[in-house]
Amino acid sequence: MARKTPRKPTLSDRIVDGAFRALLWCAFRLPYRRRVPVAGWVVSRLVAPLAGYTTRIRENLALVCPDLPPAEVARLLRDVPDNVGRTTIELYSGTDFIDRVRDLPIQGPGAAALEAAHREGRPVILATGHFGNYDVARGALVARGYRVGGLYKPMKNPLFNDHYVKAISTIGKPLFPRGPEGLGAMVRFLKSGGMLGLVMDQHMGHGAPITFFGKRAYTATSAADLALKYDAEIIPIYGIRRDDGLNFDIRAEAPIPKGDPVTMTQAINDSLEALVRQHMGQWFWIHRRWK
């Protein structure tokens, strides 16, 4: 299959990428402990209002959590983009980030199943969402010798995509671009006993009309389809940001019971929802999740 030719960057692409690179340059003049909260502040206080993030967060909360007190909504309008900023600079921080997460213990009812699958070389799908820092678990597992690959969605801006892929590749490889180009390699990796990280909480128009926060949210059944076809376990796993804003807990939930793909996918959504309700400011409420 011929490789898809990347589109040429537009003037807008160049301006956005140049501004982001300038922010990165400034951020990396700071030590890690200051760099992360500063990035959170910049996205929360400056980027979010200009980019329309605060409007989207408010709309999503009004849709699925209409009874939230105004003070809680105001807090989330700050905390959600703050977490986005922190996560972004962490993903670009390479060894600084890896050194912070490499020795974190894997906690939760799925920890033993995860370790057993690694020991026995069995395939696992690590289901997660845009919550906390979604690459904490991958970084920690790769650093201790687990074979973990990840599926990612290429950025529309080709200039931005180049350094984004380089940054997440530093955390661990292999990485597979979403679409036909990466599908074959991803399947071969899973069949060989690899662990595949899938971020499951984006709207997919061709997905199943299941629920998230009590509202219909079209969700891809790909994790369940792969698990059933290749006899892989699905283990939901999350990097939960601690109150200090810099450190994390890794929680592995019990494996999703085998069944039909829709029921399994709903269980993945339910797992994420339960955790988001405990840490509302750590989920990416900026998504157009409900359409």
Side-chain angles (χ1 to χ4, degrees):
M1 180 181 294
R3 292 177 63 90
K4 184 178 179 180
T5 303
R7 71 171 178 84
K8 293 183 178 180
T10 64
L11 177 60
S12 176
D13 290 336
R14 295 183 187 281
I15 292 172
V16 170
D17 183 68
F20 183 79
R21 288 176 183 270
L23 288 173
L24 281 182
W25 186 90
C26 293
F28 279 96
R29 307 281 73 77
L30 300 172
Y32 185 89
R33 291 187 63 86
R34 292 186 59 199
R35 181 190 318 155
V36 172
V38 166
W41 186 92
V42 168
V43 173
S44 179
R45 301 306 200 274
L46 304 180
V47 176
L50 293 174
Y53 293 172
T54 51
T55 299
R56 186 80 51 74
I57 295 165
R58 192 184 294 276
E59 291 173 348
N60 281 334
L61 290 172
L63 175 67
V64 300
C65 301
D67 298 327
L68 277 183
E72 177 66 1
V73 173
R75 181 185 72 83
L76 294 174
L77 292 177
R78 295 190 304 271
D79 288 359
V80 171
D82 181 87
N83 184 67
V84 172
R86 288 172 186 258
T87 297
T88 300
I89 201 65
E90 286 162 349
L91 298 184
Y92 275 83
S93 289
T95 55
D96 286 339
F97 174 65
I98 295 168
D99 289 344
R100 186 166 289 270
V101 305
R102 66 167 58 246
D103 296 321
L104 292 176
I106 311 298
Q107 303 171 325
L114 187 62
E115 183 179 353
H118 168 61
R119 186 172 59 248
E120 298 163 14
R122 292 185 283 106
V124 172
I125 294 172
L126 302 169
T128 192
H130 291 87
F131 172 85
N133 184 319
Y134 50 87
D135 255 349
V136 164
R138 184 170 72 96
L141 293 173
V142 169
R144 65 189 68 183
Y146 283 50
R147 293 180 60 227
V148 181
L151 180 69
Y152 73 95
K153 181 180 180 180
M155 300 290 183
K156 292 181 181 179
N157 184 331
L159 298 175
F160 193 99
N161 188 68
D162 286 345
H163 55 73
Y164 171 73
V165 173
K166 182 179 179 180
I168 60 176
S169 295
T170 302
I171 298 171
K173 293 181 180 181
L175 292 171
F176 310 105
R178 182 182 292 173
E181 182 180 337
L183 179 61
M186 181 187 75
V187 168
R188 288 191 295 272
F189 176 76
L190 187 65
K191 288 172 65 176
S192 73
M195 296 184 177
L196 177 65
L198 296 181
V199 182
M200 298 291 297
D201 59 346
Q202 290 179 293
H203 170 83
M204 292 292 175
H206 60 275
I210 57 180
T211 62
F212 187 60
F213 275 80
K215 299 290 184 179
R216 185 178 66 187
Y218 287 94
T219 307
T221 61
S222 50
D225 295 334
L226 289 168
L228 293 171
K229 186 171 183 178
Y230 300 111
D231 193 26
E233 285 190 295
I234 299 178
I235 300 178
I237 192 165
Y238 309 100
I240 306 169
R241 191 178 299 278
R242 294 182 184 174
D243 290 343
D244 64 11
L246 291 170
N247 294 297
F248 298 89
D249 294 310
I250 300 177
R251 180 171 179 82
E253 302 290 2
I256 300 294
K258 295 287 178 66
D260 67 90
V262 172
T263 300
M264 294 170 69
T265 305
Q266 183 65 68
I268 295 171
N269 272 14
D270 293 345
S271 167
L272 176 60
E273 179 182 332
L275 206 55
V276 173
R277 287 186 180 276
Q278 296 175 45
H279 308 276
M280 291 282 283
Q282 295 195 36
W283 188 61
F284 198 74
W285 289 94
I286 301 163
H287 276 158
R288 294 187 184 274
R289 185 66 183 95
W290 298 272
K291 292 185 180 181

